[in-house]
Amino acid sequence: MHDPDCLFCKIAQGKIPSRKVHEDEDFFAFHDIRPAAPIHFLIVPKRHIPSMAQLTAEHAELMGRMVVLAPQLAQQEGCNPYPDGGFRTVVNTGTEGGQEVHHLHMHVMGGPRPWARG
Ligand code: 5GP
Ligand code: ZN
């Protein structure tokens, strides 16, 4: 369920402080410490899943709910409405995929351009 050495498990459990965006039974969302856009937060499942590479059919419902949560939280955090506003979602997987923290997470980035990175 949790990996005692995992940074995002510790954040999701409140053992390491973060700027919380949302919490429910299955998900925790918090602002990225190094934002690449005016609005940049991460959504993580509370249970430890290292990356998308470990997903099986058993995770389909959980991942579906994570995707549905993204636009709701983007609106809550002030992303401008679609189509002139919107947001970017990114899930990095593995070293060559740019993943630095090995607990599955979805980046949600938005706000007026230009952005700091990307
Ligand atoms: P990845 O490259 O694994 O897709 O993204 C990891 C993200 O986690 C990075 O954007 C990085 O800024 C963010 N991050 C790393 N350590 C912390 C932390 O301690 N707190 C918060 N809020 N974000 C972090
Ligand atoms: Zn974890």
Side-chain angles (χ1 to χ4, degrees):
M1 187 75 184
H2 300 123
D3 176 341
D5 298 322
C6 170
L7 174 63
F8 286 177
C9 279
K10 289 180 194 165
I11 287 178
Q13 293 175 92
K15 291 180 175 168
I16 289 179
S18 68
R19 287 175 54 218
K20 182 156 83 173
V21 165
H22 171 85
E23 180 170 13
D24 62 41
E25 196 180 327
D26 294 315
F27 299 102
F28 194 87
F30 55 101
H31 290 279
D32 197 294
I33 206 164
R34 193 168 160 257
I39 298 161
H40 184 176
F41 61 87
L42 307 172
I43 307 175
V44 306
K46 285 187 170 175
R47 65 183 277 197
H48 181 81
I49 304 168
S51 80
M52 282 189 86
Q54 285 73 35
L55 294 180
T56 65
E58 139 198 2
H59 301 102
E61 197 257 348
L62 184 73
M63 291 298 102
R65 283 191 283 120
M66 189 165 89
V67 170
V68 170
L69 195 53
Q72 296 172 0
L73 297 183
Q75 182 184 32
Q76 173 189 305
E77 293 307 304
C79 290
N80 293 313
Y82 175 90
D84 295 329
F87 53 88
R88 173 182 288 176
T89 47
V90 173
V91 182
N92 296 322
T93 303
T95 303
E96 292 182 350
Q99 185 178 11
E100 292 177 359
V101 179
H102 289 263
H103 178 129
L104 195 157
H105 52 280
M106 176 179 280
H107 296 256
V108 182
M109 292 162 272
R113 301 273 178 167
W115 291 358
R117 305 193 297 280

